[in-house]
Amino acid sequence: MSHTLAPFATDRLLELYRGMRLVREAEERLSALFAEGEIPGFIHLSIGQEAVPVGVASVLDEADTLASNHRGHGHAIAKGLDLDRFFLELLGKQDGYCRGRGGSMHVADMKLGMLGANGIVGAGLPIAVGSALAHKIRGTGHIAVVFFGDGALAEGVLHESMNLAQLWSLPVLFVCENNGWSEFTEGARQLTTDPQRMAAAYGMKATKVDGNDVIAVAGAAREAVATVRAGKGPCLLECVTRRVRGHFEGDPQKYRDAGDVAAATRDDPLARCESQLIADGISQADIEAVKTATAARVDAAVAKARAGPPPSPADTLADVYSPPREVAT
Amino acid sequence: MNEVRFGQAINKALADAMTADPSVIVLGEDVARPGGPFGVTRGLLDRFGPERVRDTPISEAAIVGASVGAAMTGLRPVVEIMFMDFVTLTMDALVNQAAKARFMFGGQLSVPMVVRMPHGGGINAGPQHSQCLEAWLAHVPGLKVVCPATVADAYGLTRAAIADDDPVIVVENKALYAAKGDLPDTAAATPIGRARTARAGRDATIVSYGAMVPVALAAAADLGRDGVDAEVIDLRSLQPWDEPAVLASLARTHRLVIAHEAVEAFGVGAEIAARMSDVGFDELDGPIVRVGAPFMPPPFAKTLEDWFRPDAAKIVAAVKRTMA
C-alpha cells in the first residue's frame, strides 16, 4: 500500500481537498435533511470514503463513463454532476436529475458519462463492462469505471463481469471500495478470499491502496487508468477504507462495536489531507476558506432544492418508453 | 420472393440490420464461430467480423448486463439467450436495469437492445428447456415483447426490435425455426404493437401468437368443416399488444378464445381476457375461454409433452364451449 507519490503538487492536493470537502458537506447536509424528514425513502452515505471517488475521478476524462452503486453520492459529485440538480433529485423534485423518478440510488447524468447509481449490489459491473465494450468497438479512446463495495465481491455477476472484461481485454477499471462492511455483516464473515486474489484468479492486474489517503488513491488510479486507456486490459483498484456511518441513515448499527465506529471516524481522509496541506505550507485560514465556500455552495443547492416544485404524475408515464420513431429498414 | 426458413429469416434480419447500422452487434453463447445452437446466426462472423459478432462465456447475467451498458454507450446490442428458460439468470439486467433505466433516470436516455430467446416445447427438452415465460417479461414496464408466427414476421419483427429505441425481447418458438415461408426481397420491418388477421371469420375470434398461430389455423379449418367460421388473430406483439384489433374482431364475432402454449394461469391470455371483459363487455355473447398448458412444468417424455402442449382439438373444444 505504498503508492503515495511525493512530492505531490500542493495546488493539485488543494483541488482534491475541495472535491472531498464538497462530498462531505453534501452528505452531512443530506444526513440532516434526512433526519428532518425532508428526504423521502432512504439514503446510504459514504462519509469517510471520500478519498476514493475524488482521487479516482481526478484522473478521468469527462467522456469516460462511470457506473456507481447504492452508496454513490460521492461518485456522482466527483464526476462533476451539478449540485443543484443532485439535491433537487434527492429531495424528489421535478427539476432533479431524474425528475423525481429515481432518488438517491439512481442519480445519473448521461452527458457526463455517469451511467447511474444503482440499487442492486454488483449490478454496475456488467454495465461498466458493456460500456467499455462500446468504447472499444466504437474506438472512442474512453474508458469505463465502476465503483463497488466489498459486499459486491460475493455477487455472481461480479465474477462473470471480471472474467468477461479480462477475456475481451476491455478498457474498464474496477474500483473496489473495501470498507469492511457488507450491509450489517463484516466482510470477514462473507468471503473466503479477497479482491487481490480474485483479480489474480482472472489474470487481471490489481493494486491495493490506502483508500483514505487521497494522494495514494489518485496516484494508483492514474497508473491504472493509463494502463486501461492504453488498451492493456482491465485493472482492479482496491481502496481500503472505512464506513463511518451505518449501512443506511438511521441504521442503529447494533451489530457494530463502538470502537470500530470510533476508529473509522478517527481515520478521516479529510483530516489527513488537511495535515498534508498544512505541512505543504497551506494556511489554516485557506482551509477554513474552502470549508466556508463549500458550505455556502451546499446551502445554495439545498435552498434551491427546497424551493423546487414536486413532479406531477401527469407526464410520468411518458418516461417508461422512448417516443415513437419512424422505423426505416 | 424467396422461400426461406423461419431461422434464416431472422438471420437475414440480423445481417441486414448490421449492414444498415454499424452500431448493431450480436453476442451470445456459441453465436459466432458455431453459428448459434439453432443456426440462426450462421455466417454473421464471416461477414461482420469478431468485433461485432461475439461468442460469450456462459454468463447470461453479465452478457445481458453488459448489453445494457453497451446500449447506454452508443451500441445496439442483439443478445441471444440459448433457451428462454435461462432468462431467469438475466432478470436483474432486464428487469431492474434495462427496463427501468429510461424511467428512473428521468427520460435522459434510451436503452436500445434486443434479447432473442427461443421458447416452447416439441423437442422433448424437458422442464428447463421448454418453458414459455413471456408473460413474466410482458409484465415489466419498460420492456417490449414480440413473438413472430410467420417467416415474414420473423424478419420484420427482428428488424423492428433492433430499430426500436427501447429494450425488446424477441421470443422465437423453436418449433418454428425450420418452418418455411415466403420472404420478399424487399421485406420490411413489422411495426411493434400491431396484430395481423391470419384468417378472417364471422363466428368466433381465436387470438394467438407464435407457434400456436398455425395450430389455431388448423383448429379454424376443423371448425369450418362443422360450419363454424372462426377468425384467427396473430398478435405478433405481446407488449404492447393490439387491443383495438382484438376488440374490433370481438365486435364482429362476439365470441373470444385465447390460445397460447404457455401455462394458462396468469398468462398473456389472462390479460387479454380481463381487458375484453371490460372494454368488450357489451360485445360478448359467451364466456371468454383460454387455452393454455396445464399448470405444471413442461414434462419430458413424448407422451407427456404431447399431452401437455395445447393442440387444435383443445382450441376447437374451447370455441364450441363459448358458442354453446
Side-chain angles (χ1 to χ4, degrees):
Chain A
M1 290 217 255
S2 57
H3 262 275
T4 298
L5 300 181
F8 196 87
T10 304
D11 57 345
R12 184 140 177 265
L13 184 58
L14 192 58
E15 207 46 50
L16 295 177
Y17 178 72
R18 278 198 193 93
M20 293 198 292
R21 176 53 62 191
L22 184 59
V23 175
R24 173 69 56 88
E25 189 71 33
E27 288 210 308
E28 285 185 338
R29 205 64 61 90
L30 287 175
S31 177
L33 289 167
F34 183 82
E36 291 155 18
E38 289 194 64
I39 296 180
F42 50 98
I43 56 173
H44 310 81
L45 299 186
S46 60
I47 286 174
Q49 304 181 188
E50 295 89 345
V52 182
V54 171
V56 172
S58 74
V59 297
L60 297 179
D61 294 342
E62 186 174 296
D64 291 332
T65 45
L66 187 161
S68 170
N69 65 357
H70 61 289
R71 204 175 300 286
H73 303 149
H75 311 144
I77 293 170
K79 191 71 166 71
L81 267 67
D82 176 67
L83 204 66
D84 292 342
R85 291 177 70 197
F86 173 84
F87 270 94
L88 281 157
E89 184 59 31
L90 270 284
L91 269 67
K93 298 302 178 74
Q94 171 66 25
D95 297 325
Y97 261 111
C98 311
R99 300 193 293 143
R101 277 87 163 131
S104 163
M105 280 188 280
H106 305 293
V107 174
D109 184 347
M110 295 304 140
K111 291 198 176 74
L112 291 174
M114 168 56 177
L115 305 181
N118 210 307
I120 308 296
V121 171
L125 279 102
I127 290 174
V129 167
S131 185
L133 176 65
H135 288 314
K136 183 166 188 261
I137 291 176
R138 296 175 61 213
T140 65
H142 306 310
I143 71 167
V145 179
V146 56
F147 290 93
F148 55 96
D150 46 311
L153 296 169
E155 288 280 9
V157 78
L158 174 140
H159 298 270
E160 293 185 15
S161 298
M162 288 180 72
N163 179 58
L164 195 58
Q166 184 70 25
L167 185 73
W168 289 353
S169 193
L170 297 177
V172 55
L173 174 64
F174 296 98
V175 182
C176 178
E177 299 174 300
N178 189 347
N179 69 15
W181 285 93
S182 301
E183 300 181 348
F184 312 146
T185 303
E186 309 93 305
R189 290 207 294 129
Q190 302 250 321
L191 288 171
T192 62
T193 183
D194 63 70
Q196 298 302 306
R197 285 196 284 162
M198 285 182 185
Y202 296 112
M204 189 182 294
K205 292 179 275 295
T207 315
K208 183 175 183 174
V209 290
D210 179 347
N212 283 11
D213 178 346
V214 73
I215 300 175
V217 173
R222 183 161 54 199
E223 280 183 28
V225 164
T227 301
V228 171
R229 205 181 293 284
K232 295 176 184 166
C235 284
L236 172 80
L237 176 61
E238 177 187 1
C239 301
V240 179
T241 182
R242 294 170 185 267
R243 198 183 82 196
V244 172
R245 308 299 280 250
H247 171 52
F248 57 93
E249 277 301 277
D251 174 5
Q253 299 199 75
K254 286 181 181 160
Y255 49 83
R256 198 171 174 191
D257 292 337
D260 185 52
V261 178
T265 307
R266 275 196 305 277
D267 185 20
D268 180 11
L270 274 81
R272 288 168 64 174
C273 188
E274 285 171 18
S275 301
Q276 185 65 48
L277 285 168
I278 298 284
D280 287 355
I282 297 290
S283 71
Q284 189 63 45
D286 287 340
I287 291 171
E288 291 306 321
V290 170
K291 290 183 181 176
T292 306
T294 307
R297 175 72 192 88
V298 173
D299 281 343
V302 170
K304 210 174 256 187
R306 281 178 165 150
S312 153
D315 61 347
T316 313
L317 273 171
D319 283 344
V320 179
Y321 293 100
S322 303
R325 192 165 59 84
E326 270 309 303
V327 172
T329 53
Chain B
M1 192 77 83
N2 292 308
E3 189 180 66
V4 300
R5 293 188 189 276
F6 190 89
Q8 290 169 322
I10 299 168
N11 181 281
K12 180 170 160 51
L14 295 170
D16 288 355
M18 293 185 84
T19 302
D21 182 351
S23 70
V24 177
I25 65 166
V26 167
L27 66 165
E29 294 156 13
D30 308 319
V31 300
R33 214 186 299 172
F38 296 97
V40 172
T41 51
R42 200 171 289 150
L44 296 180
L45 174 63
D46 288 342
R47 285 183 64 184
F48 300 102
E51 277 292 278
R52 294 177 66 196
V53 184
R54 289 175 174 260
D55 284 321
T56 68
I58 305 177
S59 301
E60 288 85 358
I63 60 181
V64 177
S67 296
V68 178
M72 287 176 160
T73 315
L75 295 184
R76 301 181 92 85
V78 182
V79 192
E80 176 173 306
I81 296 297
M82 192 178 282
F83 288 85
M84 188 181 210
D85 312 69
F86 309 163
V87 78
T88 51
L89 298 161
T90 74
M91 281 307 225
D92 180 65
L94 283 180
V95 176
N96 286 323
Q97 314 300 333
K100 292 182 175 57
R102 179 175 179 79
F103 178 84
M104 72 185 171
F105 300 150
Q108 285 187 52
L109 79 163
S110 299
V111 182
M113 60 183 276
V114 173
V115 188
R116 301 176 34 245
M117 52 186 82
H119 76 166
I123 58 170
N124 305 106
Q128 296 176 338
H129 291 74
S130 307
Q131 295 169 89
C132 296
L133 303 172
E134 55 274 11
W136 289 2
L137 302 168
H139 191 65
V140 178
L143 297 181
K144 295 180 180 176
V145 184
V146 301
C147 186
T150 64
V151 163
D153 283 341
Y155 180 88
L157 287 171
T158 303
R159 287 302 305 269
I162 296 171
D164 200 279
D165 287 333
D166 292 314
V168 183
I169 313 296
V170 180
V171 183
E172 302 163 2
N173 195 297
K174 45 190 169 292
L176 291 177
Y177 279 135
K180 287 182 182 168
D182 287 331
L183 187 66
D185 294 329
T186 55
T190 303
I192 293 176
R194 227 169 288 163
R196 170 183 79 94
T197 303
R199 181 192 198 275
R202 297 184 316 264
D203 299 330
T205 297
I206 306 169
V207 171
S208 192
Y209 59 88
M212 283 302 282
V213 171
V215 179
L217 288 169
D222 288 349
L223 288 161
R225 283 188 281 275
D226 293 340
V228 175
D229 186 18
E231 179 150 295
V232 176
I233 302 290
D234 172 6
L235 279 180
R236 303 200 285 198
S237 293
L238 308 181
Q239 183 58 267
W241 63 280
D242 195 344
E243 184 177 304
V246 174
L247 183 60
S249 179
L250 175 64
R252 286 190 295 273
T253 66
H254 308 291
R255 318 270 178 177
L256 180 61
V257 167
I258 307 143
H260 51 57
E261 185 173 339
V263 293
E264 184 182 310
F266 291 85
V268 171
E271 174 66 16
I272 295 169
R275 287 296 299 164
M276 287 304 122
S277 69
D278 178 349
V279 299
F281 184 76
D282 292 340
E283 304 293 348
L284 286 165
D285 285 347
I288 301 172
V289 182
R290 287 176 293 157
V291 178
F295 196 59
M296 59 185 287
F300 157 65
K302 190 163 183 343
T303 49
L304 297 179
E305 193 189 54
D306 288 347
W307 164 83
F308 172 81
R309 297 175 77 212
D311 57 13
K314 285 179 185 152
I315 297 174
V316 167
V319 170
K320 288 185 173 169
R321 216 189 112 207
T322 190
M323 296 190 69

